[in-house]
Amino acid sequence: MYLQPKYVSQFQCDGKICPANCCKRDWRILIDDETFEKYSRLESSAKEITDNLEKNPEGEGYLIKQNENGCPLMTSDCLCSLQKNFGEEYLSQTCLSYPRQLCNFGEIIERTLTPTCPLAADLILNAEKIDFEFAKLNLPDWAEGNLIVGETNVPKKIYPCIIEIQLTAISILQEKRLSIDARLVILGYYLFQLEEIILRGDLKVIETLNKIYRSEEFFAEQVPQLLDSVKFQVLEFAETFFALLKKIYGSQEILTTEGNKKYILQIEKVFAVNFSSDKNLNFQSLAENYFDLEYIKKIFLQKYSDAFENYLVNDFFGGVYPYKIEGTIQQNYAVFIARFKILELVALSIMTLSRGDENQVRAEIFKMLADLSMDLNHNENYLSAIADELKNKSDITTLMRSLLDN
């Protein structure tokens, strides 16, 4: 049985209309040994195909030799020649699976799409709301064992609880009566209590906790008090967040991918800062510049809250939070909200600098979300740097006060 967002069933890869075809990018596409053997048995085309593959120097399988246009097996009309000539069963595990992400929790397999694919991002960001469904997939025999199922950091003892944990967190993220930052504050309190319960070993209490956080009484009576306990401090935000950005983007070891540097340059331009060359950041000036964006932020929340809500919901589910990285639940929460604030700040910078019309700005922000997801989801150095920089925020209230303007 699969649990998936309903939009997943609507997805269909189409190179003819894809604005940033994955086959055109300089990605390492792995061909597993079994698929290589299958290609070798194609009498008429074996050499033509295998000549475009090379042994993977880092382990098993083969890599596609990229040319100046991307994958050499792509046709002039941006379709896969293997699928076109021999059928879908000749796709590699990587090509058959992407942009789908699967995680197996025993009786339930979670399935979602990654927004690094622009067609998937369009489905995610433009959905009115991300709803979920349980589905049985009638996969052909050749596909059943060929889809890549990702590994997770979820402890085995949490398997029976993980679905309800994620759905409870998602219900908080979809609480439209609250701002995005306020939802993230409530999510923080939920995860803090969840971690305490797990550390005590009293897993049966998780069901009670989930019911509380999904009840109307909780939102009416306790949420206002919880939000009042976290007062945003703009100077503390500047000291925390811009130090984090300098750690990530000022280091030669943790640089963003080449094509995504433009987004960081936009932040630098708006805030008059250079993360690589500035030895000491003027946090007071950065705090004042951030405060001056208050009007832009209001417009941002009016126009893009739904899209960013969908992004966060998809990210929490597909990233298998609160177990995305090795570490505590609070460390995972810190990474989750910091990544959102990076995306938000880039979006605010785009809105500040753009001279295009509203549709152009929206398209640029949506493209940014798809582009930066490659760093935010798959760069282990990037994720580790965020967790390491925020590890001194050991108190949940201090962490939220430093990052969330609720």
Side-chain angles (χ1 to χ4, degrees), residues 119-134:
L119 294 183
D122 185 61
L123 285 173
I124 295 165
L125 300 176
N126 286 307
E128 185 174 338
K129 179 188 176 186
I130 293 184
D131 291 314
F132 290 80
E133 64 182 359
F134 286 98

mmCIF file of all heavy atoms in Angstrom, residues 119-134:
data_model
loop_
_atom_site.group_PDB
_atom_site.id
_atom_site.type_symbol
_atom_site.label_atom_id
_atom_site.label_comp_id
_atom_site.label_asym_id
_atom_site.label_seq_id
_atom_site.Cartn_x
_atom_site.Cartn_y
_atom_site.Cartn_z
ATOM 1 N N LEU A 119 8.302 20.098 -13.796
ATOM 2 C CA LEU A 119 6.909 19.678 -13.999
ATOM 3 C C LEU A 119 6.296 19.220 -12.677
ATOM 4 O O LEU A 119 5.119 19.486 -12.404
ATOM 5 C CB LEU A 119 6.850 18.556 -15.032
ATOM 6 C CG LEU A 119 7.252 18.927 -16.466
ATOM 7 C CD1 LEU A 119 7.061 17.736 -17.397
ATOM 8 C CD2 LEU A 119 6.462 20.117 -16.965
ATOM 9 N N ALA A 120 7.109 18.550 -11.846
ATOM 10 C CA ALA A 120 6.635 18.161 -10.515
ATOM 11 C C ALA A 120 6.430 19.402 -9.654
ATOM 12 O O ALA A 120 5.433 19.508 -8.929
ATOM 13 C CB ALA A 120 7.639 17.220 -9.861
ATOM 14 N N ALA A 121 7.370 20.351 -9.745
ATOM 15 C CA ALA A 121 7.254 21.590 -8.964
ATOM 16 C C ALA A 121 5.976 22.334 -9.319
ATOM 17 O O ALA A 121 5.308 22.899 -8.440
ATOM 18 C CB ALA A 121 8.472 22.479 -9.208
ATOM 19 N N ASP A 122 5.609 22.325 -10.587
ATOM 20 C CA ASP A 122 4.382 22.995 -11.018
ATOM 21 C C ASP A 122 3.152 22.370 -10.360
ATOM 22 O O ASP A 122 2.248 23.080 -9.901
ATOM 23 C CB ASP A 122 4.261 22.919 -12.550
ATOM 24 C CG ASP A 122 3.080 23.700 -13.085
ATOM 25 O OD1 ASP A 122 3.043 24.929 -12.890
ATOM 26 O OD2 ASP A 122 2.179 23.087 -13.673
ATOM 27 N N LEU A 123 3.130 21.035 -10.287
ATOM 28 C CA LEU A 123 2.012 20.348 -9.629
ATOM 29 C C LEU A 123 1.981 20.662 -8.138
ATOM 30 O O LEU A 123 0.918 20.902 -7.557
ATOM 31 C CB LEU A 123 2.134 18.840 -9.830
ATOM 32 C CG LEU A 123 1.796 18.274 -11.206
ATOM 33 C CD1 LEU A 123 2.149 16.793 -11.274
ATOM 34 C CD2 LEU A 123 0.324 18.473 -11.533
ATOM 35 N N ILE A 124 3.146 20.676 -7.512
ATOM 36 C CA ILE A 124 3.231 20.900 -6.070
ATOM 37 C C ILE A 124 2.826 22.324 -5.707
ATOM 38 O O ILE A 124 1.960 22.549 -4.856
ATOM 39 C CB ILE A 124 4.670 20.621 -5.571
ATOM 40 C CG1 ILE A 124 5.033 19.145 -5.757
ATOM 41 C CG2 ILE A 124 4.821 21.028 -4.104
ATOM 42 C CD1 ILE A 124 6.520 18.851 -5.647
ATOM 43 N N LEU A 125 3.436 23.284 -6.363
ATOM 44 C CA LEU A 125 3.279 24.685 -5.959
ATOM 45 C C LEU A 125 1.927 25.268 -6.348
ATOM 46 O O LEU A 125 1.430 26.182 -5.683
ATOM 47 C CB LEU A 125 4.401 25.530 -6.563
ATOM 48 C CG LEU A 125 5.824 25.116 -6.150
ATOM 49 C CD1 LEU A 125 6.860 25.957 -6.885
ATOM 50 C CD2 LEU A 125 6.016 25.243 -4.644
ATOM 51 N N ASN A 126 1.318 24.752 -7.396
ATOM 52 C CA ASN A 126 0.041 25.307 -7.861
ATOM 53 C C ASN A 126 -1.179 24.569 -7.328
ATOM 54 O O ASN A 126 -2.309 24.938 -7.641
ATOM 55 C CB ASN A 126 0.006 25.321 -9.393
ATOM 56 C CG ASN A 126 0.902 26.418 -9.970
ATOM 57 O OD1 ASN A 126 0.785 27.583 -9.606
ATOM 58 N ND2 ASN A 126 1.803 26.030 -10.862
ATOM 59 N N ALA A 127 -0.945 23.518 -6.537
ATOM 60 C CA ALA A 127 -2.082 22.800 -5.955
ATOM 61 C C ALA A 127 -2.829 23.710 -4.977
ATOM 62 O O ALA A 127 -2.212 24.494 -4.258
ATOM 63 C CB ALA A 127 -1.595 21.546 -5.234
ATOM 64 N N GLU A 128 -4.151 23.621 -4.984
ATOM 65 C CA GLU A 128 -4.928 24.411 -4.025
ATOM 66 C C GLU A 128 -4.579 23.996 -2.602
ATOM 67 O O GLU A 128 -4.452 24.826 -1.699
ATOM 68 C CB GLU A 128 -6.428 24.211 -4.283
ATOM 69 C CG GLU A 128 -7.317 25.072 -3.417
ATOM 70 C CD GLU A 128 -8.783 24.949 -3.793
ATOM 71 O OE1 GLU A 128 -9.077 24.541 -4.941
ATOM 72 O OE2 GLU A 128 -9.639 25.267 -2.954
ATOM 73 N N LYS A 129 -4.413 22.699 -2.409
ATOM 74 C CA LYS A 129 -3.973 22.139 -1.135
ATOM 75 C C LYS A 129 -3.438 20.745 -1.414
ATOM 76 O O LYS A 129 -3.962 20.048 -2.293
ATOM 77 C CB LYS A 129 -5.142 22.071 -0.139
ATOM 78 C CG LYS A 129 -4.771 21.478 1.213
ATOM 79 C CD LYS A 129 -6.025 21.257 2.068
ATOM 80 C CE LYS A 129 -5.671 20.576 3.386
ATOM 81 N NZ LYS A 129 -6.866 20.215 4.171
ATOM 82 N N ILE A 130 -2.402 20.353 -0.709
ATOM 83 C CA ILE A 130 -1.871 19.007 -0.898
ATOM 84 C C ILE A 130 -2.631 18.039 0.005
ATOM 85 O O ILE A 130 -2.477 18.067 1.231
ATOM 86 C CB ILE A 130 -0.362 18.948 -0.622
ATOM 87 C CG1 ILE A 130 0.385 19.764 -1.679
ATOM 88 C CG2 ILE A 130 0.130 17.506 -0.612
ATOM 89 C CD1 ILE A 130 1.887 19.711 -1.572
ATOM 90 N N ASP A 131 -3.472 17.232 -0.608
ATOM 91 C CA ASP A 131 -4.198 16.183 0.098
ATOM 92 C C ASP A 131 -3.502 14.847 -0.151
ATOM 93 O O ASP A 131 -2.786 14.676 -1.149
ATOM 94 C CB ASP A 131 -5.647 16.112 -0.383
ATOM 95 C CG ASP A 131 -6.451 17.330 0.055
ATOM 96 O OD1 ASP A 131 -6.350 17.710 1.238
ATOM 97 O OD2 ASP A 131 -7.183 17.896 -0.784
ATOM 98 N N PHE A 132 -3.748 13.901 0.735
ATOM 99 C CA PHE A 132 -3.071 12.608 0.655
ATOM 100 C C PHE A 132 -4.083 11.487 0.435
ATOM 101 O O PHE A 132 -5.270 11.618 0.754
ATOM 102 C CB PHE A 132 -2.263 12.353 1.934
ATOM 103 C CG PHE A 132 -1.070 13.253 2.060
ATOM 104 C CD1 PHE A 132 -1.210 14.555 2.519
ATOM 105 C CD2 PHE A 132 0.188 12.818 1.690
ATOM 106 C CE1 PHE A 132 -0.120 15.406 2.629
ATOM 107 C CE2 PHE A 132 1.287 13.656 1.789
ATOM 108 C CZ PHE A 132 1.136 14.945 2.266
ATOM 109 N N GLU A 133 -3.578 10.392 -0.120
ATOM 110 C CA GLU A 133 -4.431 9.240 -0.392
ATOM 111 C C GLU A 133 -3.628 7.961 -0.221
ATOM 112 O O GLU A 133 -2.401 7.938 -0.409
ATOM 113 C CB GLU A 133 -4.983 9.311 -1.818
ATOM 114 C CG GLU A 133 -3.907 9.233 -2.893
ATOM 115 C CD GLU A 133 -4.457 9.346 -4.309
ATOM 116 O OE1 GLU A 133 -5.684 9.460 -4.456
ATOM 117 O OE2 GLU A 133 -3.652 9.309 -5.263
ATOM 118 N N PHE A 134 -4.301 6.896 0.150
ATOM 119 C CA PHE A 134 -3.711 5.565 0.123
ATOM 120 C C PHE A 134 -4.060 4.956 -1.235
ATOM 121 O O PHE A 134 -5.202 5.044 -1.683
ATOM 122 C CB PHE A 134 -4.260 4.697 1.256
ATOM 123 C CG PHE A 134 -3.719 5.076 2.605
ATOM 124 C CD1 PHE A 134 -4.449 5.900 3.450
ATOM 125 C CD2 PHE A 134 -2.479 4.621 3.016
ATOM 126 C CE1 PHE A 134 -3.958 6.253 4.700
ATOM 127 C CE2 PHE A 134 -1.974 4.974 4.272
ATOM 128 C CZ PHE A 134 -2.710 5.787 5.097
#
